[in-house]
């Protein structure tokens, strides 16, 4: 690698905005860096630096010395138009940072640089090489390394002009550089990049809930306050928010009187009695029938009745255009054209007209008959009218007398009437009581409508007669007790019913889905079809041959 | 866990959160319209400012008021037992909209607002944030420190608040037990808190131990869904359902967050209930057993030894350690059936009571003195629970007891497969034997339950017999064996025909031979009958009157009738009759007809009973 120019890949830095470049020293080259415990990087004639900016370079001053191992990554702040020269004592590695920004032309990147120093050093190295002082191994440590003991106060802090972020990055690099250098194990082994250590954080076990150690109902849980100090107590209470709103009665009220655990039907036994079972199953069947009937009704409601048909587009158009004069115009246009279908229509209409006429005649005849009857009825005479009046008066009087008499007679019935009233009242009261009870029970056990979803109860579990187990070992449990619990809470109005079940579905879990491409599908179906047709052909052919 | 909204307020929710976040002091519950603020008539109430409209709050508003996320709110509601309410008229509450909103009572929300647990919820949020921060920065020390100071809350105060008395907590055991038994069955996965599942397992086992010691089990029923148990604890009937020992099916349509919050609360409640129940029967709490010469107690360790101990304690095979001086008084039970029946034959009610008491006692010592061996493939937990709560001893392969399979002390072996070799010294029965015996309160004939035999039907103990209902023959026999009068339960045509047959042969009176004196009977004249006969005779005679005179006769009759009524209404006559009739009480009834009395308690004093 002596005197070799190392072309440093500029790609490392480019994506970071052209400011930070990473240089990997590859020691695969001739001579390599083996045996070098420390590598002092030198820049130019005077300084030794790995970190510099182009201003420092221009001034020919080093910013800071840096010791690093051969395995390490060299990180640089790189700028456009920057050429770095590394000196491994007499070995020179010249890193040529390609222009990372806008300009790629040679002229431009030479513009602000002083290449003279570099050239001088290079020339010296050439001289050294010629003088036979080539190999590193031939030299002593003292010759190879320089211990830098001088404090260079005059030098400005290179960190001064850096942003916080850059400083942080630099510091991190420094830290890593300061780490002890691992012993190179085998010469042949490629140096690996040590990974940043992962801090393994062992999670502490959460505190375990312990068995209760007190009788809750005999211990006083109210916090104790020294009530002698009234002000103190008040402030204490206020600050700790111990003054409490009284518990509303509604909190202790049960939202529903339904049982927490619905008692099972006798027919749901794993080994049921025949009658219990048939009763249970027939009840379920009835329920199912009801559902089917409801569905059927719904279906029929949507169906067209005989004689009805769906409206066509044309009919719809006509209906919409009715009265706008458009249709009339169209009709006129149609009439102007030679009519062919008209006579046939007329032929159809004829019998209808005949029937209508016959009907009219019949009506006329009826009217005539009525008239005749009316002619027969003569106006009433005065006598008749008087008699009618008298009769009416008499009957009215009679009925009045009758009611009066009944009223008077009812005096004797008072006992009976009172009893009747009493009985009626008590019956009504009893009925009312029952009705109120029913209503109260219904209200207390009704599922209220909380939330926008529709509540669907679990289907009642059952086994078919042939599925019933012959022993407990063979029980195949039906239903899900978890969802039953959940539904029970909903049924008892303790939690609302959500809108959709889709909301519980797991989000963000990737699933494989095998999807057949359309093309391959088509190919396959074609193939299948061809197979089928072939077979049919074959079969027909066999028949023929027979 | 899925954090999505339970109902349809998803769209509006984010908005509400934002509003809540921005306007902290803004109290939306007491919002006033602009119009009202500037109107001179301050006292005027407008629509939506009084009555139901003010008493109810939508969930969205409640969230803003409490400054909680929806999840935290749901959690808080479950822990505090605050449930949504439905108004009588939705439109009045929701400003004219009939949308199905979730509404809460304002009072309840105000009550929730003062709950100190809310602060802990907020602290938890901060805790999570800090934790994430430390984790991202890889600051291990800080991380552990934060975890050590994880905010935790106690539910003891809330438990006491919701169940002010111990008996009220007992009444709520149904729900708690059911859910805990469900949770105890869950596998330990990431989805649910393992600690919660462990707690549920511990508490359910403790409860079963209590039932065993108190001999509280009364009924059991093996259904296709699971096994139902019923126990009587402090006079309350507690029913719970335990799933069969099989894998859980795929669970759908369940919000795990909601269920685990319920479970969390019930665990807190149950732990306090257990403490008290254990005290009541003189058991040491936390439960411990005597193994060898030392007592072993569970003390929250995680060593392998501790796990073993736990298994031993919670296996239901061994009796728990009792406090010194407490005798197991149930073993001394004797059924004093015969002695007492003589004393109580007089009063039927007392007899019934005595019969019930005896029945209870009989159940408590049903299996005492016998030892059961449970074969493979039998539901061990369930059988051990029932047998031990009826006084028996249980052993199975691997149980922490001294009983071996070939021991002579074993009286019953429960088998669920036909056996190859049998031991003459014991009786082999199928598991249903135990369940049926518990329900029947007596030892049923074992021949019915022999291995391989087709079993008699397993009947439900929850089916109460009423006269007229159909009662299966097996149950009738059972009832008969208990000494009950069965005739009422038997279907009508079945019994009545028998009775008729029996009644038919009449006792034919033998005529006394020779001279004999027989007691005579008083002859009673039925006055009504005489009147009726007279009336009939009159009618006959009327019929005999020729048509000419019949009309005359009718007129006469009418006239008579008329005169009679007229005379009564004549003032003088009325006076006379009233004088005459005043001596009789019936007059009073006429003059002041008694009004139907409206009972003073006509308002409904109805306390609806629990209905299934």
């Amino acid at each position: 690698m002596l005197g070799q120019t190392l072309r440093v890949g500029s790609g490392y830095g480019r994506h970071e905005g052209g400011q930070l470049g990473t240089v990997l020293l590859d020691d695969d080259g001739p001579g390599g860096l083996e045996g070098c415990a420390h590598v002092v990087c030198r820049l130019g004639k005077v300084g030794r630096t790995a970190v510099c900016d182009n201003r420092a370079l221009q001034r020919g001053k080093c910013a800071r010395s840096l010791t690093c191992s051969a395995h390490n990554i060299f990180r640089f702040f790189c700028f456009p138009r920057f050429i770095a020269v590394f000196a491994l004592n007499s070995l020179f590695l010249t890193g040529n940072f390609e222009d990372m920004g806008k300009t790629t032309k040679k002229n431009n990147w030479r513009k602000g640089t002083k290449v003279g120093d570099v050239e001088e050093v290079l020339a010296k190295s050439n001289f050294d090489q010629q003088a036979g002082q080539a190999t590193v191994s031939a030299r002593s440590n003292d010759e190879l390394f320089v211990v830098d003991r001088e404090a260079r106060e005059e030098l400005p802090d290179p960190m001064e002009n850096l942003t916080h972020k850059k400083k942080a990055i630099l510091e991190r690099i420094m830290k890593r550089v300061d780490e002890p250098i691992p012993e190179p194990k085998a010469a042949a082994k490629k140096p690996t990049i040590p990974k940043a250590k992962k801090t393994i954080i062992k999670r502490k076990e959460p505190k375990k809930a312990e068995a209760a150690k007190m009788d809750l109902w005999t211990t006083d849980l109210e916090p104790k306050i020294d009530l002698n100090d009234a002000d103190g107590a008040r402030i204490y209470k206020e600050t700790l928010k111990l003054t409490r709103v009284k518990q509303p009665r509604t909190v202790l009220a049960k939202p529903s009187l339904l049982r927490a655990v619905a008692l099972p039907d006798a027919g749901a036994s794993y080994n049921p009695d025949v009658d219990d079972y048939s009763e249970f199953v027939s009840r379920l069947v009835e329920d199912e029938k009801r559902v089917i009937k409801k569905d059927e009704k719904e279906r029929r409601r949507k169906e067209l009745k005989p004689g009805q048909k769906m409206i066509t587009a044309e009919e719809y158009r006509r209906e919409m255009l009715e009265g706008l004069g458009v249709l009339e115009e169209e009709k006129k246009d149609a009439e102007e054209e030679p009519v062919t279908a008209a006579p046939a229509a007329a032929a159809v209409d004829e019998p209808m007209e005949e029937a209508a006429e016959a009907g009219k005649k019949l009506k006329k005849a009826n009217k005539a008959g009525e008239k005749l009857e009316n002619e027969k009825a003569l106006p009433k005479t005065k006598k008749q009218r008087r008699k009618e009046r008298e009769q009416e008066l008499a009957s009215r009087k009679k009925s009045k007398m009758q009611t009066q008499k009944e009223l008077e007679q009812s005096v004797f019935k008072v006992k009976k009437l009172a009893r009747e009233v009493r009985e009626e009242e008590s019956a009504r009261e009893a009925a009312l009581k029952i009705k109120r009870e029913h209503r109260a029970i219904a209200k207390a056990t009704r599922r209220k409508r909380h939330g926008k979803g529709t509540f669907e109860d679990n289907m009642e579990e059952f086994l078919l007669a042939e599925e019933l187990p012959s022993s407990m070992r063979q029980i195949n449990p039906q239903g899900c007790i978890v969802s039953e619990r959940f539904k029970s809470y909903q049924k008892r109005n303790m939690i609302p019913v959500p809108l959709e079940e889709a909301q519980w579905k797991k989000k963000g879990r990737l699933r494989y889905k095998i999807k057949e491409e359309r093309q391959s599908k088509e190919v396959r179906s074609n193939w299948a079809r061809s197979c089928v047709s072939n077979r049919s052909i074959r079969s027909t052919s066999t028949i023929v041959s027979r | 866990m899925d954090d999505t909204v339970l109902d349809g307020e998803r769209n509006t929710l984010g908005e509400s959160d934002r509003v809540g976040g921005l306007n902290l002091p803004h109290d939306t519950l007491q919002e006033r319209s602009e119009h009202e603020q500037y109107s001179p008539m301050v006292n005027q109430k407008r629509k939506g400012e009084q009555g139901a409209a003010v008493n109810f709050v939508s969930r969205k508003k409640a969230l803003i008021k409490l400054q909680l996320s929806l999840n935290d709110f749901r959690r808080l509601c479950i822990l505090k037992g605050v449930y949504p309410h439905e108004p009588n008229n939705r439109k009045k509450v929701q400003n004219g909209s009939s949308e199905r909103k979730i509404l809460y009572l304002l009072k309840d929300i105000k009550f929730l607002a003062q709950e100190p647990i809310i602060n802990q919820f907020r602290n938890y949020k901060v805790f999570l944030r800090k934790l994430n921060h430390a984790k991202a920065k890889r600051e291990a020390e800080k991380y552990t420190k934060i975890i050590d100071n994880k905010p935790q809350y106690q539910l003891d105060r809330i438990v006491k608040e919701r169940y002010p008395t111990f008996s009220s907590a007992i009444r709520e055991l149904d729900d708690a037990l059911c859910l805990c038994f469900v949770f105890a069955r869950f596998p330990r996965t990431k989805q649910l808190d393992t600690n919660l599942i462990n707690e549920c397992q511990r508490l359910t086992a403790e409860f079963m131990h209590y039932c065993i010691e108190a001999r509280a089990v009364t009924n059991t029923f093996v259904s296709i869904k699971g096994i139902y148990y019923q126990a009587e604890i402090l006079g309350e009937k507690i029913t719970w359902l335990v799933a069969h020992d099989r894998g859980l099916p795929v669970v759908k349509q369940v919000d795990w967050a909601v269920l685990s919050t319920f479970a969390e609360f019930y665990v807190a409640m149950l732990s306090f209930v257990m403490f008290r129940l254990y005290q009541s029967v003189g058991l040491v709490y936390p439960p411990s057993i005597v193994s060898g010469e030392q007592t072993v107690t569970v003390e929250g360790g995680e060593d392998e030894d501790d796990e073993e101990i736990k298994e031993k304690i919670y296996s239901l095979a061994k009796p728990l350690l009792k406090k010194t001086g407490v005798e197991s008084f149930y073993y001394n039970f004797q059924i004093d059936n015969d002695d007492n029946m003589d004393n109580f034959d007089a009063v039927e009610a007392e007899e019934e009571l005595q019969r019930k008491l005896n029945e209870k006692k009989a159940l408590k010592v049903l299996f005492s003195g016998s030892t059961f061996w449970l074969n493979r493939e039998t539901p061990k937990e369930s059988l051990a629970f029932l047998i031990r709560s009826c006084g028996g001893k249980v052993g199975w392969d691997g149980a922490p007891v001294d009983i071996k399979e070939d021991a002579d002390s074993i009286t019953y072996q429960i088998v669920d497969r036909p056996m190859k070799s049998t031991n003459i010294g014991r009786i082999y029965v199928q598991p249903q034997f135990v369940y049926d015996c518990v329900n029947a309160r007596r030892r049923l004939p074992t021949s019915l339950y022999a291995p391989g035999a087709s079993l008699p039907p397993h009947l439900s103990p929850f089916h109460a017999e009423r006269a007229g209902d159909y009662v299966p023959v097996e149950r009738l026999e059972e009832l008969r064996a208990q000494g009950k009068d069965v005739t009422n339960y038997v279907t009508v045509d079945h019994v009545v025909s028998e009775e008729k047959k029996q009644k038919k042969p009449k006792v034919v009176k033998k005529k006394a031979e020779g001279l004999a004196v027989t007691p005579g009977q008083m002859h009673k004249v039925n006055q009504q009958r005489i009147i009726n006969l007279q009336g009939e005779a009159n009618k006959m005679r009327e019929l005999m009157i020729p048509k000419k005179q019949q009309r005359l006769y009718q007129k006469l009759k009418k006239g008579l009738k008329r005169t009679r009524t007229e005379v009564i209404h004549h003032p003088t006559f009325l006076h006379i009759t009233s004088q005459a009739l005043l001596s009789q009480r019936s007059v009073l009834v006429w003059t002041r007809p008694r009004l139907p009395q409206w009972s003073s308690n006509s308002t409904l004093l109805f306390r609806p009973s629990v209905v299934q």
Side-chain angles (χ1 to χ4, degrees), chain B residues 298-320:
Chain B
V298 190
E299 282 298 346
E302 285 128 54
D303 307 341
E304 281 184 17
D305 290 352
D306 279 347
E307 284 295 318
E308 256 177 45
I309 290 163
K310 258 187 208 173
E311 255 178 38
K312 268 185 190 172
I313 291 176
Y314 294 127
S315 76
L316 299 181
K318 236 180 176 181
L320 291 185

XYZ file of all heavy atoms in Angstrom, chain B residues 298-320:
182
model
N -49.192 -21.429 51.071
C -48.775 -20.768 49.835
C -48.383 -19.352 50.174
O -49.163 -18.617 50.757
C -49.932 -20.720 48.827
C -49.433 -20.265 47.490
C -50.588 -22.055 48.732
N -47.189 -18.986 49.825
C -46.782 -17.604 50.036
C -46.097 -17.082 48.801
O -44.877 -17.026 48.697
C -45.855 -17.483 51.264
C -46.567 -17.512 52.592
C -47.542 -16.363 52.786
O -47.504 -15.390 52.020
O -48.346 -16.456 53.723
N -46.864 -16.764 47.832
C -46.450 -16.082 46.605
C -45.034 -16.329 46.096
O -44.414 -15.412 45.592
N -44.488 -17.482 46.229
C -43.163 -17.744 45.684
C -43.265 -18.341 44.294
O -44.332 -18.732 43.855
N -42.134 -18.419 43.619
C -42.188 -18.980 42.275
C -41.232 -20.150 42.106
O -40.883 -20.530 41.007
C -41.860 -17.897 41.251
C -42.991 -16.942 41.041
C -42.551 -15.495 41.188
O -41.605 -15.099 40.524
O -43.171 -14.788 41.987
N -40.767 -20.665 43.210
C -39.839 -21.790 43.083
C -40.613 -23.021 42.629
O -41.836 -23.062 42.653
C -39.187 -22.095 44.443
C -38.561 -20.848 45.024
O -38.328 -19.918 44.224
O -38.340 -20.799 46.251
N -39.835 -24.008 42.270
C -40.484 -25.244 41.847
C -41.194 -25.915 43.020
O -42.252 -26.503 42.870
C -39.451 -26.183 41.241
C -39.106 -25.789 39.807
C -38.168 -26.763 39.176
O -38.036 -27.888 39.690
O -37.565 -26.396 38.155
N -40.532 -25.800 44.199
C -41.143 -26.392 45.392
C -42.500 -25.752 45.670
O -43.481 -26.435 45.957
C -40.237 -26.171 46.611
C -38.979 -27.025 46.495
O -38.946 -27.856 45.568
O -38.066 -26.837 47.303
N -42.506 -24.425 45.535
C -43.754 -23.709 45.799
C -44.849 -24.141 44.847
O -46.004 -24.269 45.224
C -43.522 -22.201 45.688
C -42.905 -21.668 46.964
O -42.916 -22.425 47.955
O -42.427 -20.529 46.960
N -44.438 -24.341 43.600
C -45.427 -24.779 42.611
C -46.030 -26.117 43.026
O -47.229 -26.332 42.936
C -44.768 -24.907 41.240
C -44.514 -23.585 40.539
C -45.803 -22.858 40.184
O -46.739 -23.522 39.726
O -45.868 -21.638 40.403
N -45.150 -26.982 43.487
C -45.622 -28.298 43.937
C -46.610 -28.164 45.081
O -47.664 -28.800 45.107
C -44.435 -29.138 44.390
C -44.048 -30.189 43.378
C -42.834 -30.954 43.830
O -42.789 -31.346 45.010
O -41.925 -31.131 42.999
N -46.213 -27.308 46.028
C -47.063 -27.100 47.206
C -48.424 -26.565 46.781
O -49.467 -27.028 47.240
C -46.385 -26.117 48.182
C -45.173 -26.794 48.808
C -47.356 -25.653 49.256
C -44.223 -25.824 49.445
N -48.349 -25.628 45.862
C -49.607 -25.048 45.375
C -50.504 -26.127 44.799
O -51.693 -26.186 45.076
C -49.292 -24.025 44.279
C -49.370 -22.604 44.748
C -49.209 -21.694 43.552
C -48.610 -20.384 43.989
N -48.275 -19.523 42.866
N -49.898 -26.951 43.974
C -50.683 -28.021 43.362
C -51.311 -28.914 44.418
O -52.451 -29.320 44.317
C -49.808 -28.851 42.431
C -50.083 -28.539 40.979
C -49.192 -29.311 40.057
O -48.926 -30.484 40.356
O -48.774 -28.742 39.036
N -50.509 -29.192 45.440
C -51.013 -30.044 46.508
C -52.212 -29.399 47.188
O -53.228 -30.032 47.450
C -49.910 -30.285 47.538
C -49.105 -31.532 47.261
C -48.123 -31.756 48.383
C -47.143 -32.838 48.010
N -46.074 -32.961 48.993
N -52.047 -28.122 47.506
C -53.103 -27.444 48.263
C -54.370 -27.327 47.432
O -55.480 -27.528 47.912
C -52.621 -26.051 48.722
C -51.542 -26.226 49.769
C -53.772 -25.228 49.262
C -50.919 -24.954 50.234
N -54.182 -26.991 46.161
C -55.367 -26.709 45.358
C -55.892 -27.939 44.623
O -56.691 -27.827 43.709
C -55.055 -25.579 44.369
C -54.795 -24.282 45.079
C -53.656 -23.541 44.849
C -55.704 -23.806 46.009
C -53.431 -22.354 45.519
C -55.486 -22.622 46.683
C -54.348 -21.905 46.438
O -54.132 -20.738 47.108
N -55.445 -29.109 44.985
C -55.878 -30.291 44.246
C -57.227 -30.824 44.721
O -57.788 -31.697 44.101
C -54.842 -31.389 44.373
O -54.953 -31.961 45.650
N -57.735 -30.328 45.794
C -59.038 -30.717 46.353
C -59.030 -32.111 46.982
O -60.032 -32.574 47.474
C -60.165 -30.694 45.305
C -60.500 -29.390 44.625
C -61.650 -29.600 43.671
C -60.857 -28.321 45.613
N -57.878 -32.786 46.927
C -57.865 -34.152 47.443
C -57.693 -34.174 48.955
O -58.175 -35.072 49.625
C -56.750 -34.939 46.781
N -56.989 -33.182 49.469
C -56.636 -33.194 50.880
C -57.416 -32.133 51.637
O -57.623 -31.035 51.120
C -55.139 -32.895 51.010
C -54.410 -33.965 51.775
C -52.965 -33.622 51.859
C -52.283 -34.658 52.714
N -50.888 -34.415 52.869
N -57.829 -32.444 52.870
C -58.504 -31.405 53.654
C -57.525 -30.308 54.068
O -56.342 -30.589 54.300
C -59.042 -32.156 54.862
C -58.247 -33.402 54.940
C -57.823 -33.736 53.562
N -58.032 -29.101 54.169
C -57.181 -27.966 54.534
C -56.966 -27.925 56.036
O -57.707 -28.529 56.809
C -57.831 -26.661 54.082
C -57.903 -26.388 52.592
C -58.474 -25.005 52.366
C -56.539 -26.491 51.943
